[in-house]
């Protein structure tokens, strides 16, 4: 093979001209190859510049996502306390159990133990862990004792997170005032909902670095510090709340009623001292709740108040100078207004004084007074005490009731509304309306929060009229009245019974709402108590039989709990053989 090379060299032929070294490819191909290689180097340089100079932030974020985490720091929800400083709602530290499904490494035995600790069926746990999500909650609000056992299993990919669970020491006794929070600790009902912005606080967060197993190896620092919620002091008195709840529960059970409600107000300040409903629920354990249990009937349910509205017609007649407490009116058993007939359920004297009309709850006597007014005048007295208007004291769901504009009233409608039919109100509205009798003719706003100073009053009727009405309403609870069972030993009390047929599908049926609204002591009123019992079915259905005894028991205990001095002899209670039953 080397002989040709030597021959070519001997003849003086250049080495580069050797036929062996002759290029067989065209020149443009080599130039193209060099150009492609050059372009690749340029692309690599551009990519390097892009990554090193222009995409630094993006790459750092991508890297940080592999090891850096933002941990949410929940704020501690504010406590709810009663006016005496007793805790009614507080937040307890618990843990949430969560997982990164693809990181979970556990054998069948550990999975079975984990399912037992979480109180979860094993198939459900496997379904969650088989998810393609990067984050899944296994269970929220787990007690620390259980969390410790789960951590001891040392299952990779299972993590815990700090959170809080709301606890209500009073349980079902104050459920409708407090409401409750959801699993995210956000208010859903009651004052928990109404004061969410104040109680909830602001959640914080901080940045940490975690290693592959999820353990924190470095704390970078706060992004935002959490701000705990503010404590809320209610106007509620825990002792009076317990008294009101237990007495209402006893009445509902005794009379086999569908439901019941009670509210206690402070006459001096307008603060709500107690509020209870039946049926109720336990906010600490809310499985299987029904709408009937959740309803705050004091605020959200309306009913025809019946005879509890009669004192407002008498007060208007006194205020206008049309009658005096001793003015005698004709009170036949029945009167006709157009084609309609209005009567009293029980016989009364054919003529009665205004005082007797209120004492014995005569429909006819009340209508006699009501028809002396223009519709606007009756409408004014009702609206001035809050009927037809939603109470404005920051409680969710409080209703306005129903009262049609006076311009559309017919005489029969004005007549029936005078004794509480054809108008609907809530129990809290009726309780507040009696402020004008207990506060010498003045009205003040209500509050569910403890007040440092009472709000400014607004006059509705004169001091003289209010005093006259107190004297008349005190006779309601005495012999010859409709509510002797409302008497309280050692205290003078006043009030008015109410019994109304229920309206279903546009017709009145033989179902009743029994109610009583009163205040005590008469010499210097301190509390107003309104009681409503819905559909009593044990044989008695009049307000004086069903609701008045609840008032008596609650007033007696509440006045003593408030250290209100007696204003009567302990022998002041006089029970007649048979109380007078009010007309419906």
């Amino acid at each position: 093979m080397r002989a040709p090379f030597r021959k070519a060299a001997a003849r003086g032929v250049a080495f580069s001209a050797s036929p062996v070294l002759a290029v067989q490819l065209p020149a443009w191909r080599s130039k193209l190859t060099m150009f492609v290689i050059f372009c690749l180097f340029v692309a690599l340089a551009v990519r390097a510049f892009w990554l090193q100079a222009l995409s630094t932030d993006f790459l750092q974020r991508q890297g940080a996502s592999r090891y850096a985490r933002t941990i949410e720091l929940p704020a501690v929800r504010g406590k709810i306390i009663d006016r005496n400083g007793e805790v009614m709602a507080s937040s307890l530290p618990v843990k949430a159990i969560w997982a990164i499904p693809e990181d979970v490494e556990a054998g069948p035995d550990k999975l079975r133990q984990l399912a037992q600790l979480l109180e979860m069926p094993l198939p459900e746990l496997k379904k969650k862990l088989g998810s393609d999500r990067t984050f899944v909650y296994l269970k929220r609000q787990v007690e620390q004792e259980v969390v410790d056992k789960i951590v001891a299993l040392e299952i990779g990919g299972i993590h815990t997170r700090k959170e809080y669970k709301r606890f209500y020491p009073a349980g079902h006794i104050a459920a409708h005032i407090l409401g409750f929070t959801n699993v995210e600790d956000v208010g859903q009902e009651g004052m928990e909902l109404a004061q969410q912005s104040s109680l909830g606080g602001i959640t914080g967060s901080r940045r940490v670095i975690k290693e592959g197993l999820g353990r924190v190896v470095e704390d970078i620092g706060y992004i935002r510090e959490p701000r705990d919620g503010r404590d809320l002091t209610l106007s509620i008195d825990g002792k009076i709340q317990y008294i009101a709840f237990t007495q209402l529960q006893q009445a509902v059970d005794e009379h086999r009623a569908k439901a019941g409600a009670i509210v206690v107000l402070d006459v001096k300040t307008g603060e709500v001292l107690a509020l209870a409903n039946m049926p109720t629920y336990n906010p600490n354990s809310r499985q299987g709740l029904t709408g009937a249990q959740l309803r705050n009937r004091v605020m959200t349910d309306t009913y025809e108040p019946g005879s509890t509205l009669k004192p407002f017609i008498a007060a208007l007649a006194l205020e206008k100078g049309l009658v005096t407490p001793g003015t005698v009116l004709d009170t036949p058993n029945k009167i006709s207004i157009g084609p309609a007939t209005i009567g009293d359920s029980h016989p009364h004297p054919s003529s009665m004084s205004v005082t007797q009309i209120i004492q014995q709850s005569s429909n006819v006597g009340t209508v006699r007074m009501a028809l002396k007014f223009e519709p606007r005048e009756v409408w004014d007295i009702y609206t001035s005490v809050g009927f037809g208007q939603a109470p404005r004291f920051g409680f969710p769901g409080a209703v306005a009731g129903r009262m049609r504009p006076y311009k559309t009233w017919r005489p029969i409608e004005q007549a029936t509304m005078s004794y509480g039919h054809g108008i609907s109100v809530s129990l809290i509205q009726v309780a507040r309306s009696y402020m004008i009798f207990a506060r010498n003719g003045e009205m003040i706003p209500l509050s569910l929060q403890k007040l440092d100073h009472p709000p400014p009053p607004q006059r509705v009727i004169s001091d003289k009229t209010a005093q006259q009405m107190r004297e008349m309403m005190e006779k309601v609870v005495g012999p010859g009245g409709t509510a002797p069972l409302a008497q309280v030993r050692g205290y003078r009390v006043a009030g008015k019974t109410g019994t109304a047929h229920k309206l279903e599908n546009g017709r009145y049926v033989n179902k009743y709402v029994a109610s009583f609204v009163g205040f005590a002591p008469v010499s210097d009123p301190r509390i107003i108590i309104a009681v409503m019992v819905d559909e009593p079915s044990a044989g008695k259905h009049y307000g004086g039989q069903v609701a008045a005894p609840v008032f008596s028991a609650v007033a007696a205990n509440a006045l003593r709990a408030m250290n209100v001095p007696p204003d009567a002899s302990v022998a002041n209670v006089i029970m007649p053989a048979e109380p007078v039953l009010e007309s419906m």
Side-chain angles (χ1 to χ4, degrees):
M1 293 294 296
R2 298 184 61 177
F5 290 103
R6 286 195 295 269
K7 290 178 179 180
R11 292 195 298 265
V13 179
F15 179 79
S16 60
S18 171
V20 177
L21 299 177
V23 177
Q24 301 298 319
L25 297 175
W28 66 268
R29 298 263 320 252
S30 60
K31 293 178 180 180
L32 177 61
T33 302
M34 292 299 295
F35 178 74
V36 170
I37 294 173
F38 172 77
C39 289
L40 291 174
F41 274 106
V42 171
L44 289 174
V46 170
R47 180 60 176 168
F49 177 77
W50 174 265
L51 295 175
Q52 297 296 323
L54 302 181
S55 301
T56 303
D57 293 339
F58 170 78
L59 294 175
Q60 288 179 342
R61 287 196 302 270
Q62 291 298 308
S65 67
R66 271 64 174 176
Y67 60 82
R69 296 287 185 273
T70 298
I71 298 178
E72 186 178 280
L73 303 175
V76 180
R77 192 174 181 84
K79 296 190 293 291
I80 300 178
I81 58 180
D82 80 346
R83 63 185 305 107
N84 302 311
E86 296 294 326
V87 175
M88 303 187 78
S90 61
S91 294
L92 304 178
V94 289
K95 292 287 183 68
I97 308 298
W98 61 278
I100 303 174
E102 64 180 10
D103 292 348
V104 174
E105 298 177 358
D109 291 341
K110 285 193 174 182
L111 283 180
R112 191 176 299 107
Q113 294 178 54
L114 179 61
Q116 291 174 351
L117 291 171
L118 294 174
E119 299 178 345
M120 179 186 301
L122 183 59
E124 182 180 346
L125 175 61
K126 289 182 177 180
K127 181 179 179 180
K128 287 189 174 185
L129 295 179
S131 169
D132 58 359
R133 297 166 58 187
T134 59
F135 175 97
V136 62
Y137 276 118
L138 299 182
K139 189 173 183 180
R140 307 288 299 275
Q141 298 185 345
V142 181
E143 302 294 338
Q144 187 61 47
E145 181 181 355
V146 177
V147 172
D148 293 339
K149 294 179 181 179
I150 292 174
V151 171
L153 293 177
E154 296 183 345
I155 300 176
I158 302 296
H159 308 278
T160 65
R161 173 191 169 197
K162 184 179 181 181
E163 58 184 13
Y164 292 93
K165 180 180 181 180
R166 208 64 165 162
F167 175 64
Y168 303 92
H172 53 280
I173 293 174
H176 291 101
I177 303 166
L178 302 175
F180 54 85
T181 61
N182 62 9
V183 73
E184 301 290 346
D185 215 20
V186 175
Q188 301 296 294
E189 293 284 346
M191 293 303 286
E192 293 278 29
L193 172 60
Q195 297 296 316
Q196 169 61 31
S197 60
S198 174
L199 288 167
I202 298 177
T203 300
S205 59
R206 67 184 305 123
R207 199 73 169 162
V208 299
I209 293 177
K210 291 188 174 184
E211 45 97 82
L213 295 178
R215 294 188 291 259
V216 175
V217 296
E218 183 179 348
D219 190 341
I220 299 174
Y222 283 108
I223 297 175
R224 182 181 64 245
E225 292 193 35
R227 191 179 74 190
D228 293 341
R230 293 193 296 271
D231 293 346
L232 176 66
T233 302
L234 297 182
S235 61
I236 299 298
D237 186 309
K239 298 186 293 293
I240 299 177
Q241 176 68 27
Y242 176 78
I243 294 165
F245 176 85
T246 54
Q247 293 299 324
L248 178 68
Q249 184 180 46
Q250 181 177 328
V252 170
D253 292 343
E254 178 184 347
H255 296 284
R256 297 201 298 274
K258 175 182 177 182
I262 185 170
V263 60
V264 183
L265 306 181
D266 188 316
V267 171
K268 304 298 184 183
T269 64
E271 294 170 306
V272 179
L273 299 177
L275 184 157
N277 296 274
M278 289 295 295
T280 186
Y281 64 96
N282 186 346
N284 297 307
S285 178
R286 301 190 296 273
Q287 291 79 11
L289 285 184
T290 64
Q293 291 174 286
L294 289 171
R295 277 164 55 190
N296 187 339
R297 298 168 191 274
V298 171
M299 303 284 190
T300 65
D301 278 22
T302 60
Y303 66 103
E304 291 191 342
S307 299
T308 55
L309 293 200
K310 291 176 180 176
F312 297 100
I313 300 301
L316 181 59
L318 292 171
E319 192 74 1
K320 297 291 184 180
L322 300 178
V323 299
T324 68
T327 298
V328 177
L329 301 176
D330 291 335
T331 53
N333 196 47
K334 294 183 179 181
I335 59 172
S336 296
I337 302 175
T341 300
I342 290 176
D344 289 326
S345 301
H346 303 280
H348 291 304
S350 59
S351 61
M352 303 172 69
S353 69
V354 173
T355 297
Q356 289 175 314
I357 289 171
I358 296 301
Q359 180 187 24
Q360 299 184 34
S361 195
S362 168
N363 288 346
V364 173
T366 304
V367 170
R368 289 284 196 204
M369 289 186 282
L371 293 180
K372 294 177 182 291
F373 307 115
E374 294 294 325
R376 174 64 183 264
E377 294 176 298
V378 178
W379 187 85
D380 282 344
I381 188 70
Y382 282 170
T383 56
S384 66
V385 296
F387 298 150
Q389 307 156 54
R392 298 179 181 177
F393 58 105
F395 196 91
V399 297
R402 181 178 60 86
M403 184 172 66
R404 294 189 297 105
Y406 66 90
K407 292 182 179 179
T408 65
W409 292 3
R410 295 174 296 160
I412 185 61
E413 292 170 323
Q414 182 170 329
T416 57
M417 278 192 283
S418 72
Y419 56 86
H421 286 253
I423 179 174
S424 65
V425 298
S426 66
L427 192 65
I428 194 76
Q429 288 177 310
V430 176
R432 179 175 179 255
S433 70
Y434 272 56
M435 283 278 183
I436 66 170
F437 307 126
R439 285 185 55 89
N440 296 323
E442 296 177 341
M443 288 286 288
I444 56 175
L446 300 185
S447 175
L448 273 164
Q449 298 185 45
K450 186 177 181 180
L451 301 176
D452 296 325
H453 305 286
Q458 180 179 1
R459 182 159 296 280
V460 178
I461 58 176
S462 67
D463 190 344
K464 179 182 178 181
T465 299
Q467 291 180 8
Q468 290 174 328
M469 289 306 305
R470 284 206 297 270
E471 292 171 3
M472 284 192 276
M473 294 167 71
E474 187 174 8
K475 293 186 180 297
V476 172
V477 304
T482 59
L485 296 178
Q487 296 177 66
V488 177
R489 192 172 301 280
Y491 295 94
R492 296 168 56 199
V493 302
K496 186 68 188 74
T497 53
T499 307
H501 285 279
K502 295 189 71 173
L503 193 64
E504 292 185 357
N505 300 320
R507 300 183 63 182
Y508 288 103
V509 297
N510 287 326
K511 297 178 182 179
Y512 305 91
V513 175
S515 61
F516 183 86
V517 188
F519 48 88
V522 171
S523 59
D524 183 19
R526 290 295 309 279
I527 57 173
I528 295 172
I529 302 174
V531 184
M532 182 271 288
V533 179
D534 187 13
E535 294 187 24
S537 60
K540 298 177 180 179
H541 61 264
Y542 285 96
Q545 299 171 318
V546 177
V550 181
F551 169 91
S552 175
V554 174
N557 288 283
L559 290 170
R560 295 186 179 96
M562 297 170 67
N563 295 316
V564 177
D567 65 342
S569 166
V570 294
N572 67 310
V573 175
I574 303 174
M575 295 294 180
E578 289 292 335
V580 175
L581 302 178
E582 74 267 21
S583 296
M584 295 180 288

